[in-house]
Amino acid sequence: MADVHHFLALDLGAESGRGIIVTLREGKVSMEEIHRWPNRPVRLAGTMHWDFPFLFTEMLQAIRVCTERGVKLAGMSVDTWGVDFGLLGPAGELLGNPVMYRDARTDGIHAYSDPILSRDEIFRLTAYEPWQIASLFQLLAMKKNRSAILSAADTFLNMPDLFLYFLTGNRASEMSIANTSNLMGTDCQWSDRIIDAFGLRKEMFHRLIDPPEVIGPLRSDLLDQLPIGDTPVIATCGHDTSAALAAVPAESGGNWAFLSSGTWSILGSLVDQPVTSPRCLELGFTNEYTIGGWYLARNISGLWLVQQLRKKWDTAADPWDYPRMTDEARKAKTNALFNAAHDSLMAPPDMADAITRLIAASGQPVPATRGEMVRATLESLALEYHRRTVALGELEGKPADRIYLVGGGIHNTLLCQLTADATGLPVHAGADQCTAMGNALGQALALGILKDKQQIREVMRRSFPTTLYEPQDQEQWKEKRARYAELVR
């Protein structure tokens, strides 16, 4: 690893896309964002679409910036959100802009699908939560509505694979993103049982590949625009969550859990085999795929709660930025707690009012200051992490012995400490850009620059030192855990 290698990570989220150059030098990585663009869904005739041509054009611009700078890329790859897809016609043409998962076409779709194959059975077959927005149910909505596009389709590709196809001309389905479709079985093959039961055409689903794998060079028509040579295009973990997990800077041994903390949080851990028990589905966990195998994961409320408080309080005359909010919370004293996963907190018009209502309804004194409100929010969120960590241990059959906390939440040092206190586990906090790093270091693995998945984690540990937060005041937190358990019953 003495040489210098540059990788382009094309990281596309629901709100924006980024082109990031990740440089691997002497066993460490650094990154530079070179291009950013908005991701604006478009409503056409009542349907919400992604503007695929625009997004693809902006990806090409990120590649163009590399050529203009004279950066010699070792490789490039794409990661995106899950579940959405595009359909290609027989000549490889895109049959309409991909539809966004927030579109209403899948509303009530389970009433159509359940009599054919139950959600419990779909989960048993795929290990992935049968959300109504999963690719399967989007396809069923098209079938139910007699979609001409579905009838004409020759190829199904989830979003990152769709971008890779238009970059290379090669069709393949990478397993971390195919897993979000409810169409890939636990044997890592397309599920004939599901495809046959719902009358879908098997020939639409092309070969599944285990990440990472080189897909090919840029197609010739793109090389006419972009003099980038034979730079390989690589299928790493196309699902952004799986890319992030691949780069968690964890040490081997023991039973570690990861917590990706940002606007929303994702808690999980690696497993030898997917867990498909009814209890797994009941506890709200799903199984996903990353480099080297499966992991359990669960979405949890995150700093969205604090962000919405700031949205209400922050004014030019009286600024409330995150450092101020955290400082005030650090000084505050309050015993108030609330169910951080309550449905009323998903998208309330006034977060402070919604939290106050929950606290008052439980008979507790409501916070008297904004600092107390933020403190109650962070403590409740940390206790929700504890609750879900216990559930994770139940499903695995052994408790976690430490947590690796990554993502933007590492900068909220109070939350990091409260997470250690609430869970009673040491928390190693570090690396706020795991998705782009997992994308790029997966490329290095595909090219043989790195030897195995553990070497990815070693590079991350060398590049991003972690801060250790040890549990404190455990007698006090034992009482808080008991009170929180009563609130969430």
Side-chain angles (χ1 to χ4, degrees):
M1 291 192 297
D3 295 333
V4 178
H5 304 279
H6 303 291
F7 306 94
L8 178 60
L10 296 163
D11 175 29
L12 188 57
E15 293 185 355
S16 64
R18 302 182 300 163
I20 300 168
I21 294 177
V22 176
T23 300
L24 177 61
R25 177 188 288 111
E26 296 180 350
K28 294 184 178 182
V29 279
S30 59
M31 61 176 282
E32 179 189 3
E33 183 180 306
I34 58 166
H35 186 51
R36 179 181 285 262
W37 62 94
N39 186 2
R40 301 190 184 100
V42 178
R43 184 176 293 278
L44 291 172
T47 299
M48 289 297 296
H49 295 270
W50 298 109
D51 190 348
F52 184 85
F54 169 77
L55 298 175
F56 186 72
T57 300
E58 293 300 317
M59 284 188 176
L60 297 183
Q61 179 58 26
I63 299 171
R64 188 172 288 109
V65 171
C66 294
T67 63
E68 291 170 351
R69 291 189 176 194
V71 176
K72 174 59 177 174
L73 293 174
M76 68 181 77
S77 189
V78 180
D79 66 79
T80 79
W81 64 94
V83 308
D84 289 338
F85 58 87
L87 297 174
L88 304 178
E93 71 275 28
L94 181 62
L95 300 176
N97 267 340
V99 174
M100 184 189 188
Y101 59 85
R102 291 189 185 276
D103 185 74
R105 66 178 175 171
T106 57
D107 288 356
I109 192 63
H110 288 139
Y112 172 80
S113 64
D114 283 349
I116 302 171
L117 202 62
S118 72
R119 278 167 275 178
D120 288 345
E121 179 68 1
I122 292 170
F123 181 71
R124 188 188 68 78
L125 291 166
T126 67
Y128 190 76
E129 183 176 0
W131 289 356
Q132 71 173 34
I133 61 173
S135 314
L136 168 64
F137 299 106
Q138 294 195 46
L139 288 169
L140 294 183
M142 298 178 76
K143 184 177 176 65
K144 178 173 177 283
N145 295 327
R146 296 182 173 86
S147 165
I149 289 178
L150 182 59
S151 298
D154 175 78
T155 301
F156 164 97
L157 292 173
N158 283 111
M159 292 301 291
D161 299 323
L162 189 67
F163 286 111
L164 294 183
Y165 166 73
F166 279 102
L167 286 171
T168 68
N170 296 323
R171 310 179 196 200
S173 291
E174 181 275 318
M175 291 197 302
S176 78
I177 196 70
N179 169 242
T180 72
S181 69
N182 271 144
L183 287 159
M184 187 183 88
T186 57
D187 60 354
C188 297
Q189 301 296 320
W190 294 116
S191 173
D192 287 343
R193 173 80 176 95
I194 292 174
I195 291 170
D196 290 342
F198 289 110
L200 300 173
R201 286 179 287 112
K202 294 178 184 179
E203 57 271 22
M204 288 174 53
F205 304 99
H206 288 247
R207 73 180 182 101
L208 284 160
I209 58 174
D210 201 351
E213 182 177 311
V214 175
I215 297 297
L218 286 183
R219 54 199 297 166
S220 57
D221 59 310
L222 293 180
L223 286 173
D224 293 339
Q225 309 171 40
L226 302 165
I228 202 167
D230 59 354
T231 300
V233 179
I234 299 162
T236 54
C237 287
H239 190 201
D240 50 13
T241 303
S242 299
L245 174 56
V248 170
E251 295 190 28
S252 300
N255 188 45
W256 55 271
F258 74 91
L259 179 61
S260 179
S261 176
T263 300
W264 301 100
S265 301
I266 300 172
L267 172 74
S269 66
L270 298 171
V271 289
D272 294 332
Q273 298 292 331
V275 180
T276 59
S277 64
R279 181 63 172 159
C280 183
L281 195 56
E282 179 185 344
L283 290 172
F285 280 82
T286 192
N287 298 262
E288 306 209 19
Y289 198 86
T290 187
I291 293 174
W294 295 88
Y295 63 100
L296 279 167
R298 193 192 197 287
N299 290 327
I300 307 176
S301 301
L303 288 168
W304 156 262
L305 304 173
V306 177
Q307 291 166 1
Q308 293 302 295
L309 292 175
R310 183 192 179 199
K311 183 179 179 181
K312 177 181 180 180
W313 295 341
D314 190 37
T315 65
D318 185 20
W320 276 79
D321 58 15
Y322 294 126
R324 180 182 180 186
M325 294 175 78
T326 303
D327 288 343
E328 292 296 324
R330 201 182 301 275
K331 295 182 291 186
K333 303 292 183 184
T334 180
N335 288 319
L337 298 171
F338 60 88
N339 180 356
H342 198 275
D343 288 345
S344 66
L345 304 180
M346 285 297 293
D350 186 321
M351 183 63 75
D353 180 64
I355 291 173
T356 298
R357 288 175 181 272
L358 281 178
I359 293 172
S362 64
Q364 303 172 81
V366 300
T369 67
R370 290 180 175 180
E372 290 182 5
M373 175 71 78
V374 178
R375 180 81 186 203
T377 300
L378 293 177
E379 289 195 4
S380 299
L381 181 56
L383 286 161
E384 181 65 17
Y385 291 160
H386 167 258
R387 175 191 176 202
R388 300 306 182 180
T389 301
V390 171
L392 181 63
E394 176 190 336
L395 293 174
E396 286 193 277
K398 54 185 176 180
D401 56 24
R402 63 196 186 277
I403 294 174
Y404 286 92
L405 196 155
V406 298
I410 69 169
H411 301 297
N412 191 317
T413 57
L414 177 57
L415 177 60
C416 294
Q417 183 60 58
L418 293 175
T419 300
D421 297 340
T423 61
L425 297 172
V427 170
H428 303 256
D432 64 352
Q433 295 288 341
C434 277
T435 300
M437 292 301 170
N439 178 320
L441 293 177
Q443 296 179 51
L445 180 58
L447 296 171
I449 298 166
L450 298 180
K451 295 183 299 182
D452 55 41
K453 62 182 180 181
Q454 290 305 326
Q455 203 167 19
I456 293 177
R457 303 195 195 282
E458 291 171 12
V459 169
M460 291 297 291
R461 289 197 296 274
R462 284 194 291 267
S463 306
F464 304 97
T466 58
T467 301
L468 175 62
Y469 296 85
E470 294 282 5
Q472 299 175 2
D473 305 322
Q474 286 303 284
E475 281 302 314
Q476 177 187 10
W477 279 92
K478 182 178 179 181
E479 182 270 334
K480 289 185 178 182
R481 290 178 201 126
R483 284 203 294 126
Y484 189 78
E486 290 296 321
L487 291 172
V488 298
R489 282 189 177 180

PDB file of all heavy atoms in Angstrom, residues 319-342:
ATOM      1  N   PRO A 319     -29.688  33.276  18.089  1.00  0.00           N
ATOM      2  CA  PRO A 319     -29.231  32.054  17.412  1.00  0.00           C
ATOM      3  C   PRO A 319     -29.129  30.864  18.377  1.00  0.00           C
ATOM      4  O   PRO A 319     -28.574  30.984  19.467  1.00  0.00           O
ATOM      5  CB  PRO A 319     -27.842  32.441  16.888  1.00  0.00           C
ATOM      6  CG  PRO A 319     -27.788  33.938  16.942  1.00  0.00           C
ATOM      7  CD  PRO A 319     -28.658  34.331  18.078  1.00  0.00           C
ATOM      8  N   TRP A 320     -29.679  29.743  17.922  1.00  0.00           N
ATOM      9  CA  TRP A 320     -29.534  28.480  18.646  1.00  0.00           C
ATOM     10  C   TRP A 320     -28.903  27.477  17.692  1.00  0.00           C
ATOM     11  O   TRP A 320     -29.600  26.754  16.977  1.00  0.00           O
ATOM     12  CB  TRP A 320     -30.899  27.987  19.157  1.00  0.00           C
ATOM     13  CG  TRP A 320     -31.276  28.618  20.458  1.00  0.00           C
ATOM     14  CD1 TRP A 320     -31.794  29.866  20.646  1.00  0.00           C
ATOM     15  CD2 TRP A 320     -31.137  28.044  21.759  1.00  0.00           C
ATOM     16  NE1 TRP A 320     -31.980  30.116  21.980  1.00  0.00           N
ATOM     17  CE2 TRP A 320     -31.591  29.010  22.691  1.00  0.00           C
ATOM     18  CE3 TRP A 320     -30.679  26.823  22.240  1.00  0.00           C
ATOM     19  CZ2 TRP A 320     -31.589  28.782  24.069  1.00  0.00           C
ATOM     20  CZ3 TRP A 320     -30.684  26.589  23.606  1.00  0.00           C
ATOM     21  CH2 TRP A 320     -31.128  27.566  24.513  1.00  0.00           C
ATOM     22  N   ASP A 321     -27.574  27.445  17.682  1.00  0.00           N
ATOM     23  CA  ASP A 321     -26.886  26.455  16.862  1.00  0.00           C
ATOM     24  C   ASP A 321     -26.651  25.206  17.703  1.00  0.00           C
ATOM     25  O   ASP A 321     -26.941  25.160  18.904  1.00  0.00           O
ATOM     26  CB  ASP A 321     -25.584  27.014  16.285  1.00  0.00           C
ATOM     27  CG  ASP A 321     -24.612  27.500  17.371  1.00  0.00           C
ATOM     28  OD1 ASP A 321     -24.801  27.163  18.564  1.00  0.00           O
ATOM     29  OD2 ASP A 321     -23.659  28.216  17.017  1.00  0.00           O
ATOM     30  N   TYR A 322     -26.090  24.175  17.067  1.00  0.00           N
ATOM     31  CA  TYR A 322     -25.933  22.898  17.782  1.00  0.00           C
ATOM     32  C   TYR A 322     -24.962  22.987  18.952  1.00  0.00           C
ATOM     33  O   TYR A 322     -25.228  22.412  20.015  1.00  0.00           O
ATOM     34  CB  TYR A 322     -25.527  21.792  16.801  1.00  0.00           C
ATOM     35  CG  TYR A 322     -26.612  21.486  15.791  1.00  0.00           C
ATOM     36  CD1 TYR A 322     -26.353  21.518  14.426  1.00  0.00           C
ATOM     37  CD2 TYR A 322     -27.908  21.195  16.210  1.00  0.00           C
ATOM     38  CE1 TYR A 322     -27.347  21.255  13.501  1.00  0.00           C
ATOM     39  CE2 TYR A 322     -28.917  20.940  15.293  1.00  0.00           C
ATOM     40  CZ  TYR A 322     -28.630  20.970  13.936  1.00  0.00           C
ATOM     41  OH  TYR A 322     -29.626  20.714  13.024  1.00  0.00           O
ATOM     42  N   PRO A 323     -23.830  23.705  18.836  1.00  0.00           N
ATOM     43  CA  PRO A 323     -22.961  23.828  20.009  1.00  0.00           C
ATOM     44  C   PRO A 323     -23.668  24.477  21.206  1.00  0.00           C
ATOM     45  O   PRO A 323     -23.496  24.033  22.345  1.00  0.00           O
ATOM     46  CB  PRO A 323     -21.807  24.694  19.500  1.00  0.00           C
ATOM     47  CG  PRO A 323     -21.737  24.399  18.037  1.00  0.00           C
ATOM     48  CD  PRO A 323     -23.172  24.241  17.622  1.00  0.00           C
ATOM     49  N   ARG A 324     -24.469  25.496  20.944  1.00  0.00           N
ATOM     50  CA  ARG A 324     -25.191  26.128  22.054  1.00  0.00           C
ATOM     51  C   ARG A 324     -26.196  25.157  22.661  1.00  0.00           C
ATOM     52  O   ARG A 324     -26.315  25.060  23.889  1.00  0.00           O
ATOM     53  CB  ARG A 324     -25.903  27.397  21.575  1.00  0.00           C
ATOM     54  CG  ARG A 324     -26.665  28.093  22.718  1.00  0.00           C
ATOM     55  CD  ARG A 324     -27.408  29.326  22.250  1.00  0.00           C
ATOM     56  NE  ARG A 324     -28.126  29.958  23.361  1.00  0.00           N
ATOM     57  CZ  ARG A 324     -28.953  30.990  23.233  1.00  0.00           C
ATOM     58  NH1 ARG A 324     -29.141  31.540  22.033  1.00  0.00           N
ATOM     59  NH2 ARG A 324     -29.575  31.490  24.292  1.00  0.00           N
ATOM     60  N   MET A 325     -26.932  24.459  21.819  1.00  0.00           N
ATOM     61  CA  MET A 325     -27.926  23.509  22.321  1.00  0.00           C
ATOM     62  C   MET A 325     -27.265  22.439  23.190  1.00  0.00           C
ATOM     63  O   MET A 325     -27.754  22.083  24.266  1.00  0.00           O
ATOM     64  CB  MET A 325     -28.678  22.861  21.158  1.00  0.00           C
ATOM     65  CG  MET A 325     -29.536  23.835  20.370  1.00  0.00           C
ATOM     66  SD  MET A 325     -30.295  23.078  18.904  1.00  0.00           S
ATOM     67  CE  MET A 325     -31.641  22.159  19.661  1.00  0.00           C
ATOM     68  N   THR A 326     -26.119  21.938  22.722  1.00  0.00           N
ATOM     69  CA  THR A 326     -25.435  20.891  23.478  1.00  0.00           C
ATOM     70  C   THR A 326     -24.870  21.429  24.784  1.00  0.00           C
ATOM     71  O   THR A 326     -24.952  20.768  25.826  1.00  0.00           O
ATOM     72  CB  THR A 326     -24.304  20.279  22.628  1.00  0.00           C
ATOM     73  OG1 THR A 326     -24.861  19.784  21.406  1.00  0.00           O
ATOM     74  CG2 THR A 326     -23.623  19.141  23.360  1.00  0.00           C
ATOM     75  N   ASP A 327     -24.308  22.636  24.751  1.00  0.00           N
ATOM     76  CA  ASP A 327     -23.772  23.241  25.976  1.00  0.00           C
ATOM     77  C   ASP A 327     -24.867  23.447  27.015  1.00  0.00           C
ATOM     78  O   ASP A 327     -24.677  23.173  28.210  1.00  0.00           O
ATOM     79  CB  ASP A 327     -23.101  24.582  25.663  1.00  0.00           C
ATOM     80  CG  ASP A 327     -21.771  24.407  24.931  1.00  0.00           C
ATOM     81  OD1 ASP A 327     -21.228  23.285  24.947  1.00  0.00           O
ATOM     82  OD2 ASP A 327     -21.294  25.391  24.333  1.00  0.00           O
ATOM     83  N   GLU A 328     -26.019  23.937  26.555  1.00  0.00           N
ATOM     84  CA  GLU A 328     -27.126  24.155  27.487  1.00  0.00           C
ATOM     85  C   GLU A 328     -27.630  22.821  28.054  1.00  0.00           C
ATOM     86  O   GLU A 328     -27.983  22.715  29.229  1.00  0.00           O
ATOM     87  CB  GLU A 328     -28.265  24.894  26.783  1.00  0.00           C
ATOM     88  CG  GLU A 328     -27.950  26.327  26.394  1.00  0.00           C
ATOM     89  CD  GLU A 328     -27.699  27.214  27.611  1.00  0.00           C
ATOM     90  OE1 GLU A 328     -28.377  27.014  28.647  1.00  0.00           O
ATOM     91  OE2 GLU A 328     -26.810  28.079  27.532  1.00  0.00           O
ATOM     92  N   ALA A 329     -27.651  21.797  27.222  1.00  0.00           N
ATOM     93  CA  ALA A 329     -28.097  20.482  27.687  1.00  0.00           C
ATOM     94  C   ALA A 329     -27.103  19.890  28.684  1.00  0.00           C
ATOM     95  O   ALA A 329     -27.495  19.223  29.654  1.00  0.00           O
ATOM     96  CB  ALA A 329     -28.262  19.542  26.499  1.00  0.00           C
ATOM     97  N   ARG A 330     -25.824  20.118  28.451  1.00  0.00           N
ATOM     98  CA  ARG A 330     -24.799  19.580  29.338  1.00  0.00           C
ATOM     99  C   ARG A 330     -24.941  20.162  30.747  1.00  0.00           C
ATOM    100  O   ARG A 330     -24.700  19.476  31.754  1.00  0.00           O
ATOM    101  CB  ARG A 330     -23.411  19.896  28.779  1.00  0.00           C
ATOM    102  CG  ARG A 330     -22.309  18.993  29.314  1.00  0.00           C
ATOM    103  CD  ARG A 330     -20.956  19.403  28.739  1.00  0.00           C
ATOM    104  NE  ARG A 330     -20.929  19.334  27.290  1.00  0.00           N
ATOM    105  CZ  ARG A 330     -20.669  18.237  26.601  1.00  0.00           C
ATOM    106  NH1 ARG A 330     -20.442  17.097  27.240  1.00  0.00           N
ATOM    107  NH2 ARG A 330     -20.645  18.258  25.278  1.00  0.00           N
ATOM    108  N   LYS A 331     -25.356  21.408  30.829  1.00  0.00           N
ATOM    109  CA  LYS A 331     -25.503  22.073  32.133  1.00  0.00           C
ATOM    110  C   LYS A 331     -26.846  21.788  32.789  1.00  0.00           C
ATOM    111  O   LYS A 331     -27.004  21.982  33.994  1.00  0.00           O
ATOM    112  CB  LYS A 331     -25.353  23.592  31.950  1.00  0.00           C
ATOM    113  CG  LYS A 331     -23.965  24.034  31.499  1.00  0.00           C
ATOM    114  CD  LYS A 331     -23.862  25.543  31.379  1.00  0.00           C
ATOM    115  CE  LYS A 331     -24.684  26.092  30.236  1.00  0.00           C
ATOM    116  NZ  LYS A 331     -24.475  27.552  30.008  1.00  0.00           N
ATOM    117  N   ALA A 332     -27.819  21.338  32.004  1.00  0.00           N
ATOM    118  CA  ALA A 332     -29.193  21.213  32.504  1.00  0.00           C
ATOM    119  C   ALA A 332     -29.360  19.995  33.407  1.00  0.00           C
ATOM    120  O   ALA A 332     -28.661  18.989  33.277  1.00  0.00           O
ATOM    121  CB  ALA A 332     -30.161  21.120  31.329  1.00  0.00           C
ATOM    122  N   LYS A 333     -30.318  20.088  34.317  1.00  0.00           N
ATOM    123  CA  LYS A 333     -30.709  18.987  35.199  1.00  0.00           C
ATOM    124  C   LYS A 333     -32.192  18.726  35.002  1.00  0.00           C
ATOM    125  O   LYS A 333     -33.017  19.612  35.211  1.00  0.00           O
ATOM    126  CB  LYS A 333     -30.443  19.332  36.666  1.00  0.00           C
ATOM    127  CG  LYS A 333     -28.992  19.693  36.977  1.00  0.00           C
ATOM    128  CD  LYS A 333     -28.068  18.484  36.832  1.00  0.00           C
ATOM    129  CE  LYS A 333     -26.632  18.832  37.228  1.00  0.00           C
ATOM    130  NZ  LYS A 333     -25.717  17.692  37.005  1.00  0.00           N
ATOM    131  N   THR A 334     -32.526  17.531  34.558  1.00  0.00           N
ATOM    132  CA  THR A 334     -33.933  17.170  34.399  1.00  0.00           C
ATOM    133  C   THR A 334     -34.072  15.660  34.517  1.00  0.00           C
ATOM    134  O   THR A 334     -33.161  14.913  34.151  1.00  0.00           O
ATOM    135  CB  THR A 334     -34.494  17.629  33.037  1.00  0.00           C
ATOM    136  OG1 THR A 334     -35.869  17.256  32.945  1.00  0.00           O
ATOM    137  CG2 THR A 334     -33.719  17.019  31.883  1.00  0.00           C
ATOM    138  N   ASN A 335     -35.185  15.212  35.041  1.00  0.00           N
ATOM    139  CA  ASN A 335     -35.491  13.785  35.115  1.00  0.00           C
ATOM    140  C   ASN A 335     -36.487  13.361  34.046  1.00  0.00           C
ATOM    141  O   ASN A 335     -36.882  12.201  33.989  1.00  0.00           O
ATOM    142  CB  ASN A 335     -36.042  13.430  36.495  1.00  0.00           C
ATOM    143  CG  ASN A 335     -34.972  13.474  37.566  1.00  0.00           C
ATOM    144  OD1 ASN A 335     -33.850  13.023  37.336  1.00  0.00           O
ATOM    145  ND2 ASN A 335     -35.300  14.038  38.724  1.00  0.00           N
ATOM    146  N   ALA A 336     -36.906  14.307  33.214  1.00  0.00           N
ATOM    147  CA  ALA A 336     -37.940  14.016  32.222  1.00  0.00           C
ATOM    148  C   ALA A 336     -37.402  13.096  31.130  1.00  0.00           C
ATOM    149  O   ALA A 336     -36.289  13.276  30.617  1.00  0.00           O
ATOM    150  CB  ALA A 336     -38.456  15.310  31.609  1.00  0.00           C
ATOM    151  N   LEU A 337     -38.208  12.105  30.778  1.00  0.00           N
ATOM    152  CA  LEU A 337     -37.918  11.190  29.681  1.00  0.00           C
ATOM    153  C   LEU A 337     -39.177  11.021  28.839  1.00  0.00           C
ATOM    154  O   LEU A 337     -40.283  11.251  29.334  1.00  0.00           O
ATOM    155  CB  LEU A 337     -37.467   9.827  30.204  1.00  0.00           C
ATOM    156  CG  LEU A 337     -36.194   9.770  31.041  1.00  0.00           C
ATOM    157  CD1 LEU A 337     -36.029   8.373  31.648  1.00  0.00           C
ATOM    158  CD2 LEU A 337     -34.967  10.134  30.207  1.00  0.00           C
ATOM    159  N   PHE A 338     -39.013  10.592  27.596  1.00  0.00           N
ATOM    160  CA  PHE A 338     -40.161  10.305  26.740  1.00  0.00           C
ATOM    161  C   PHE A 338     -39.781   9.225  25.744  1.00  0.00           C
ATOM    162  O   PHE A 338     -38.598   8.939  25.531  1.00  0.00           O
ATOM    163  CB  PHE A 338     -40.646  11.566  26.015  1.00  0.00           C
ATOM    164  CG  PHE A 338     -39.621  12.207  25.117  1.00  0.00           C
ATOM    165  CD1 PHE A 338     -39.486  11.826  23.788  1.00  0.00           C
ATOM    166  CD2 PHE A 338     -38.769  13.205  25.602  1.00  0.00           C
ATOM    167  CE1 PHE A 338     -38.533  12.405  22.954  1.00  0.00           C
ATOM    168  CE2 PHE A 338     -37.810  13.788  24.778  1.00  0.00           C
ATOM    169  CZ  PHE A 338     -37.693  13.390  23.457  1.00  0.00           C
ATOM    170  N   ASN A 339     -40.787   8.623  25.148  1.00  0.00           N
ATOM    171  CA  ASN A 339     -40.583   7.568  24.157  1.00  0.00           C
ATOM    172  C   ASN A 339     -40.044   8.197  22.876  1.00  0.00           C
ATOM    173  O   ASN A 339     -40.781   8.800  22.102  1.00  0.00           O
ATOM    174  CB  ASN A 339     -41.913   6.846  23.894  1.00  0.00           C
ATOM    175  CG  ASN A 339     -41.779   5.735  22.864  1.00  0.00           C
ATOM    176  OD1 ASN A 339     -40.718   5.528  22.278  1.00  0.00           O
ATOM    177  ND2 ASN A 339     -42.867   5.015  22.640  1.00  0.00           N
ATOM    178  N   ALA A 340     -38.738   8.034  22.636  1.00  0.00           N
ATOM    179  CA  ALA A 340     -38.098   8.675  21.485  1.00  0.00           C
ATOM    180  C   ALA A 340     -38.537   8.067  20.161  1.00  0.00           C
ATOM    181  O   ALA A 340     -38.270   8.626  19.100  1.00  0.00           O
ATOM    182  CB  ALA A 340     -36.585   8.586  21.621  1.00  0.00           C
ATOM    183  N   ALA A 341     -39.213   6.919  20.214  1.00  0.00           N
ATOM    184  CA  ALA A 341     -39.693   6.262  18.992  1.00  0.00           C
ATOM    185  C   ALA A 341     -41.193   6.442  18.790  1.00  0.00           C
ATOM    186  O   ALA A 341     -41.786   5.771  17.933  1.00  0.00           O
ATOM    187  CB  ALA A 341     -39.353   4.778  19.036  1.00  0.00           C
ATOM    188  N   HIS A 342     -41.816   7.344  19.539  1.00  0.00           N
ATOM    189  CA  HIS A 342     -43.266   7.514  19.451  1.00  0.00           C
ATOM    190  C   HIS A 342     -43.670   8.030  18.070  1.00  0.00           C
ATOM    191  O   HIS A 342     -42.990   8.886  17.474  1.00  0.00           O
ATOM    192  CB  HIS A 342     -43.746   8.485  20.533  1.00  0.00           C
ATOM    193  CG  HIS A 342     -45.206   8.407  20.801  1.00  0.00           C
ATOM    194  ND1 HIS A 342     -46.138   9.097  20.064  1.00  0.00           N
ATOM    195  CD2 HIS A 342     -45.907   7.704  21.733  1.00  0.00           C
ATOM    196  CE1 HIS A 342     -47.347   8.836  20.529  1.00  0.00           C
ATOM    197  NE2 HIS A 342     -47.240   7.998  21.536  1.00  0.00           N
TER     198      HIS A 342
END
